[in-house]
Amino acid sequence: MMHTLKRQSVPAGIVNLADHEQLAQQRLDDNAWAYFGGGAGDEITLQANRTAWDAWRLQPRVLQRVAGGHTRVALLGRTLAHPIMLAPVAFQRLAHVDGEVATAYAAAALGAGMVLSTQASTPLETVADAFLADPGRGALWFQLYLQHDRGFTRALVQRAEAAGYEALVLTVDAPVSGIRDRERRAGFQLPPGIRAVNLDGLAPRPARPLQGGQSALFHDLLHDAPTWEDVQWLQSITRLPVLLKGVLHPEDARQAAAIGVAGLVVSNHGGRTLDTAITTAQALPAVVQAVEGRLPVLVDGGIRRGTDVFKALALGASAVLVGRPAIHGLTNAGAAGVAHVLRLLRDELEATMALMGCATLADVAAVSLPMPPLGIR
């Protein structure tokens, strides 16, 4: 069934992603802004993700032949129009009545890949129908949290396969939720009518009895936290490629490559899980080096400019993902706002490539970035 979108236009005066963020903060209530805008703890990693990209500097080349260039990239057997994808973000109907459907239409129209969250507020089949109908679309992937019920997880994977999703992105950096002070101060709660609809039917996790002095976290909840064996189990039950999202350590990257995962996403969950964790711009080069070209490495976290996208690609990423900027665009103008965010990033990437003397992403990958000054890497 086709979803009729609310028709909106991007407000005048919005010329970059920071403008979108500022307006979105004004439009969202405190409850929704605490969820979308907040991070873990003192939000040190949340802020550092942004400034870490700024620390890498560009050294342009001049008088290069760049006419006829393009932004196409090969990824998991497909050629995409550009290397900008939308990261999984839960409960998008908190930001706009059209939620994930608006995001899907916008991403498809702009040739961007999209990763749908397990905790989407719209059925995964509805989102797939909206996205896959566009012949110029990018890749459609499904982000997965392993559930305590393996039978439910298997059924969810089968639903994603049947709906046309092309890969599974297993989030591995959140065995527990981060300590999110901003959400706690706001008393965050989902309003009526918004829920993780794709988890309907999942029975509550049975609690384990605790002995005196035992921890509810270590002796109960973490028994259901995913391990490397669970990754291999997931690979065994699906025909889709499996990527791991949330890898920051090169040893984890090597182990992932050793068991044959299809790709990695260097991510610290947008600064929402472990505060003071290393930034993604810091972690990316070592992860790329660790896998030695055996699988694609993507990156998210703090990317707000086309120059950030360029730097990520120069540091070895195959593509980037953006999360909060899409939510800001969605808040401000629905599908048109998400499309505007993607258009801004792609236009800025193309301009950066031209100014750096790079006609293709292969040229970008060959660029050597000067090291940031010691202490701000």
Side-chain angles (χ1 to χ4, degrees), residues 238-277:
T238 182
R239 58 179 173 77
L240 298 179
V242 174
L243 299 90
L244 302 187
K245 181 178 183 291
V247 174
L248 295 172
H249 199 292
E251 287 302 320
D252 289 334
R254 291 187 187 96
Q255 188 159 354
I259 65 171
V261 302
L264 300 176
V265 182
V266 172
S267 175
N268 54 34
H269 219 100
R272 291 170 62 81
T273 53
L274 178 64
D275 199 21
T276 73

Side-chain angles (χ1 to χ4, degrees), residues 139-327:
L140 181 62
W141 299 349
F142 184 71
Q143 177 268 337
L144 186 66
Y145 287 111
L146 291 181
Q147 304 301 315
H148 63 271
D149 182 338
R150 274 196 171 186
F152 187 92
T153 298
R154 185 191 295 265
L156 188 60
V157 168
Q158 290 171 345
R159 283 178 60 190
E161 290 177 346
Y165 290 81
E166 299 160 314
L168 300 176
V169 180
L170 178 66
T171 294
V172 294
D173 65 352
V176 297
S177 294
I179 306 299
R180 299 176 192 164
D181 292 351
R182 200 189 306 198
E183 287 184 26
R184 295 194 293 182
R185 290 191 188 100
F188 173 74
Q189 57 184 350
L190 290 172
I194 297 179
R195 66 185 193 281
V197 296
N198 295 302
L199 298 181
D200 285 353
L202 176 64
R205 187 186 67 85
R208 291 172 172 81
L210 299 178
Q211 306 300 318
Q214 287 187 327
S215 161
L217 179 62
F218 286 106
H219 297 99
D220 181 11
L221 182 62
L222 287 177
H223 281 283
D224 294 312
T227 65
W228 288 105
E229 289 75 19
D230 292 305
V231 176
Q232 292 175 297
W233 171 79
L234 178 62
Q235 291 172 302
S236 75
I237 66 160
T238 182
R239 58 179 173 77
L240 298 179
V242 174
L243 299 90
L244 302 187
K245 181 178 183 291
V247 174
L248 295 172
H249 199 292
E251 287 302 320
D252 289 334
R254 291 187 187 96
Q255 188 159 354
I259 65 171
V261 302
L264 300 176
V265 182
V266 172
S267 175
N268 54 34
H269 219 100
R272 291 170 62 81
T273 53
L274 178 64
D275 199 21
T276 73
I278 188 173
T279 68
T280 53
Q282 290 173 294
L284 177 61
V287 170
V288 169
Q289 184 178 20
V291 301
E292 299 177 318
R294 289 177 285 175
L295 67 167
V297 176
L298 294 80
V299 65
D300 67 13
I303 291 170
R304 298 294 183 269
R305 284 286 190 180
T307 46
D308 301 335
V309 180
F310 184 99
K311 291 170 186 178
L313 302 175
L315 292 172
S318 296
V320 305
L321 300 97
V322 293
R324 289 183 178 93
I327 296 301

Side-chain angles (χ1 to χ4, degrees), residues 30-56:
D30 291 343
N31 185 65
W33 184 252
Y35 181 74
F36 289 126
D42 297 309
E43 301 186 347
I44 292 168
T45 296
L46 172 64
Q47 300 303 324
N49 268 348
R50 172 77 222 93
T51 57
W53 292 112
D54 292 340
W56 289 99

